[in-house]
Amino acid sequence: MTARASDDPRDLPIPDAFARRMAALLDELDARAVLESLSAEPRRAVRANPRRATLDEVVQLTGWRLQELPWSPEAGLLSDPDVTRPGNHPLHAAGAFYLQDPTATAAATALAVTPGEWVADLAAAPGGKATALGARLEGQGVLLANDVHRARVEVLARNLERFGIRNAIVTQADPSELADRLAGRFDAVLLDAPCSGEAMFQKSLDARRDWSLDLVRRNAQRQGPLLDAASDLLKAGGRLVYATCTFSPEENEGVVGETLLRRADLHPAASPLSFVARGHASAVGVEEVLPDEAVARLWPHHAPGAGHVITNLERVDAPPPETRRSGKKRQDLAFKPPSRTTLEAWHTFRTAALTGVDTDLENEDTLRERAGVLWRVADLDLLDALSGVTVLRPGLALGRVQRDRFEPAHALAMALDPSATHSVVELSLDGPSLPRWLAGEELDVEERDVTWSGDGSAGYALLVTAGMPLGWTRRSGTRLRNLYPKGLRQR
């Protein structure tokens, strides 16, 4: 089968073998409706960041029409055809919302995390589900966000930073490496497993071109070990969500059912999701161990979005976590207590720029330094246990010493409430200065749509719009230096 020159996946027919499988799994009308849905225009959801704004507030600030999704009250279906580039809205840069496939928003809801829990997202890039989990933790507990691909994990880290998630440890590792070091430590684990991507037929030319029955079988074979690693991370009573963006029973009910047959410590759990179809365990002969009530199938012809399959599990028994440390420390990447120079510079900055109401930043026991960057580590014991694993971010980046002064990190700005800073510069959401700022231009504090609050002195100030942080600026006279990261600037 040869693709045409167009990049539109709808110019390439859906594979005949996939169509026959849908006809065997569903009745005639549903099977035809699935194929039609996968050839329709992709739908988008706007998922609000509750640490910034409610979905209603996003609607008020943007003027967009959003239809709330029944399985995710934080997310709304974007039904305004005139909104063509929502990712360029300034509130996206401020971390007020995340753009996501509507059905993909259901996985984080199904895991039902609460503040203070230890949560792991094992295939977390680009960050849609990780940002949702992190926001629900409300800065308490720990989020371990992992992906095996370096380029993708960098995007994951940036999205967590944009959302102001300060208690996330970002790693690049095979899930089995994490299970070796962190077995039995987590309250909840999400595994959005790599799969044959049948739901991606709606928007991916490669997904249509590369799909085959052999691809389905190969994915099912590698998903089993991933699910074992995810299960091993759980403590007794811990919850697990196994999700895919494919409809194949072999990669969903089949993988879960075979795992349940091998593991007495893992049980199915009823899905908390409503307005969804249930599983097809009988299609792969695992109905005796996996009730359909544990599986939520979000079909694209029943729900807005490309489709997702989500299974809820619980670990009923687990050995206590081991205290041994695996792996070998790589001294060139070691996180060490900060140097005296760094600590003194941090003290000077903190006194001048921060009010002290953010007590997390007053605790110096969790400070560590690597390659000149000062970090507030999310959990020191967890970081120690990860020795030998590639840790991109151990928590919240505070900044580094440059030219004899402390230069605060963009991540710190995004994690702060404006009340925690002495000086705030507010840019009008609808004014001309905000687009110029996001493009990298300097501003003048006397411009009409710029409001300065605070002591008005030279030095660092938090730049915000609609009360939400966008980054740092540094005042020199009436000029506001643009410190927005170059890689994020909009042209």
Side-chain angles (χ1 to χ4, degrees):
M1 191 179 293
T2 303
R4 303 176 198 174
S6 171
D7 290 330
D8 189 338
R10 290 170 293 180
D11 287 339
L12 187 67
I14 289 177
D16 289 339
F18 172 79
R20 290 194 295 271
R21 283 166 63 81
M22 290 299 99
L25 190 63
L26 304 169
D27 64 40
E28 182 179 353
L29 289 178
D30 279 335
R32 186 182 307 125
V34 167
L35 301 183
E36 291 173 354
S37 297
L38 292 177
S39 294
E41 187 74 25
R43 310 290 297 274
R44 291 172 296 184
V46 172
R47 199 195 74 245
N49 178 0
R51 304 288 285 167
R52 300 273 199 259
T54 65
L55 189 63
D56 286 342
E57 288 169 336
V58 171
V59 169
Q60 292 168 10
L61 290 168
T62 61
W64 298 340
R65 294 194 299 273
L66 300 177
Q67 177 187 344
E68 186 177 300
L69 297 175
W71 51 81
S72 182
E74 301 156 0
L77 182 68
L78 183 57
S79 55
D80 192 337
D82 295 329
V83 181
T84 56
R85 302 182 72 184
N88 282 353
H89 195 283
L91 290 184
H92 184 267
F97 62 84
Y98 193 100
L99 295 168
Q100 198 169 11
D101 175 82
T103 53
T105 65
T109 301
L111 195 56
V113 304
T114 57
E117 290 189 314
W118 276 36
V119 180
D121 186 352
L122 294 185
K129 299 171 178 68
T131 51
L133 297 173
R136 292 182 180 208
L137 286 176
E138 299 180 3
Q140 305 170 50
V142 175
L143 172 65
L144 178 68
N146 176 76
D147 204 272
V148 296
H149 301 288
R150 182 56 182 250
R152 287 171 56 82
V153 83
E154 294 281 4
V155 176
L156 165 66
R158 287 198 295 271
N159 279 321
L160 288 166
E161 177 180 280
R162 182 171 59 85
F163 253 52
I165 308 300
R166 62 171 62 188
N167 57 326
I169 294 181
V170 180
T171 57
Q172 180 198 353
D174 188 281
S176 62
E177 291 184 78
L178 301 175
D180 286 344
R181 292 161 172 79
L182 304 174
R185 297 187 181 215
F186 287 84
D187 300 287
V189 174
L190 172 63
L191 174 60
D192 189 24
C195 64
S196 59
E198 294 165 350
M200 300 298 290
F201 287 172
Q202 197 178 68
K203 56 185 177 181
S204 171
L205 191 69
D206 289 341
R208 293 194 183 205
R209 182 173 51 219
D210 297 341
W211 185 91
S212 69
L213 291 175
D214 183 60
L215 179 64
V216 169
R217 286 190 289 267
R218 284 188 282 115
N219 274 287
Q221 289 171 356
R222 68 172 177 163
Q223 287 156 353
L226 293 175
L227 183 53
D228 274 327
S231 304
D232 289 343
L233 286 169
L234 288 171
K235 62 176 61 171
R239 310 179 308 283
L240 193 155
V241 160
Y242 173 81
T244 75
C245 60
T246 202
F247 310 115
S248 158
E250 292 90 338
E251 297 179 68
N252 291 292
E253 292 90 346
V255 169
V256 175
E258 290 176 6
T259 303
L260 291 172
L261 286 169
R262 288 188 288 100
R263 299 187 62 137
D265 62 336
L266 204 62
H267 285 189
S271 172
L273 298 175
S274 55
F275 303 98
V276 295
R278 295 307 177 192
H280 287 271
S282 60
V284 281
V286 295
E287 63 270 26
E288 291 187 6
V289 293
L290 180 62
D292 287 342
E293 291 73 22
V295 183
R297 282 181 165 263
L298 285 82
W299 290 100
H301 65 302
H302 287 159
H308 233 68
V309 182
I310 298 164
T311 305
N312 277 76
L313 300 166
E314 179 183 6
R315 193 175 191 189
V316 294
D317 187 28
E322 295 185 19
T323 57
R324 65 180 176 86
R325 298 292 182 249
S326 302
K328 208 176 181 182
K329 285 195 175 181
R330 294 177 293 176
Q331 295 300 323
D332 58 325
L333 295 180
F335 293 90
K336 302 175 182 178
S339 68
R340 180 178 176 181
T341 299
T342 299
L343 206 54
E344 288 177 351
W346 164 245
H347 289 164
T348 300
F349 166 80
R350 198 176 67 192
T351 300
L354 306 183
T355 62
V357 299
D358 194 329
T359 55
D360 278 352
L361 300 179
E362 300 291 316
N363 178 11
E364 296 186 355
D365 293 340
T366 60
L367 298 186
R368 293 293 183 270
E369 187 175 8
R370 183 183 71 174
V373 178
L374 184 65
W375 296 88
R376 176 194 173 272
V377 175
D379 188 276
L380 290 172
D381 288 338
L382 181 54
L383 182 61
D384 182 32
L386 287 169
S387 175
V389 169
T390 299
V391 177
L392 277 78
R393 304 193 182 197
L396 177 63
L398 302 179
R400 63 167 67 232
V401 179
Q402 296 274 48
R403 295 181 292 276
D404 298 325
R405 69 163 173 255
F406 191 84
E407 294 193 354
H410 182 67
L412 174 60
M414 300 306 290
L416 287 172
D417 186 279
S419 66
T421 62
H422 286 306
S423 298
V424 176
V425 177
E426 176 96 26
L427 302 186
S428 172
L429 186 60
D430 301 318
S433 294
L434 183 53
R436 289 171 51 210
W437 176 268
L438 292 174
E441 294 184 29
E442 290 190 355
L443 302 176
D444 195 292
V445 73
E446 296 178 354
E447 295 184 45
R448 294 182 62 185
D449 58 339
V450 177
T451 303
W452 181 282
S453 62
D455 57 22
S457 61
Y460 288 101
L462 187 68
L463 190 132
V464 306
T465 188
M468 304 177 205
L470 278 168
W472 295 108
T473 182
R474 194 167 69 242
R475 180 173 179 170
S476 178
T478 64
R479 300 300 295 167
L480 298 174
R481 283 203 56 199
N482 194 313
L483 303 179
Y484 196 58
K486 293 181 180 179
L488 301 179
R489 292 177 182 179
Q490 299 178 7
R491 297 294 183 184

